Amino acid sequence: QVQLVESGGGLVQTGGSLRLSCAASGRTFSSYAMGWFRQAPGKAREFVTTISWNGGSTNYDYSVTGRFTISRDNAKNTVYLQMNRLKPEDTAVYYCAAARVVDGTLRYDYWGQGTQVTVSS
């Protein structure tokens, strides 16, 4: 129903910026909230940020608050993650995901393949 493809990852120096894109397709895409997650080598996948397609509300993990911004372009069916003032600890594979709202909680049903972000120190 929903296919997600991330892009925009790469190598950047500490303090630099990157913008990730998540291109979505599928007839039910507009009904899903969207989120970004990341996974560093040897660590568990962790939450980064979410955005709701109906109201545009957002939520961020404390570690990225003030540095990262999630946004959307409904006309392009695309979700973005603007990352500023990057730190080495931001190095990870970043995944885009689409979630259903079930009993007031988000259940992520669809995932992209990920894009690598590497921040050099």
Side-chain angles (χ1 to χ4, degrees):
Q1 294 180 317
V2 178
Q3 294 80 45
L4 306 173
V5 180
E6 303 97 333
S7 63
L11 175 64
V12 66
Q13 294 182 346
T14 297
S17 299
L18 285 173
R19 189 177 78 158
L20 306 183
S21 297
C22 175
S25 62
R27 62 180 180 85
T28 63
F29 175 76
S30 62
S31 65
Y32 287 85
M34 301 296 298
W36 288 96
F37 295 77
R38 64 187 182 185
Q39 185 170 21
K43 297 183 179 180
R45 183 185 63 194
E46 65 178 1
F47 165 80
V48 177
T49 180
T50 62
I51 186 169
S52 61
W53 286 96
N54 57 349
S57 61
T58 60
N59 189 31
Y60 297 89
D61 182 79
Y62 180 80
S63 66
V64 304
T65 298
R67 300 188 300 118
F68 290 11
T69 303
I70 187 171
S71 61
R72 66 188 180 186
D73 187 333
N74 291 334
K76 297 182 179 180
N77 281 342
T78 302
V79 178
Y80 303 97
L81 181 63
Q82 179 66 47
M83 305 184 294
N84 299 324
R85 305 198 307 278
L86 283 161
K87 306 174 181 178
E89 50 263 44
D90 295 319
T91 295
V93 176
Y94 283 71
Y95 297 92
C96 178
R100 297 179 296 126
V101 180
V102 181
D103 295 330
T105 64
L106 297 178
R107 296 185 180 181
Y108 291 92
D109 297 325
Y110 304 97
W111 296 82
Q113 297 184 31
T115 184
Q116 177 71 48
V117 172
T118 302
V119 184
S120 63
S121 60

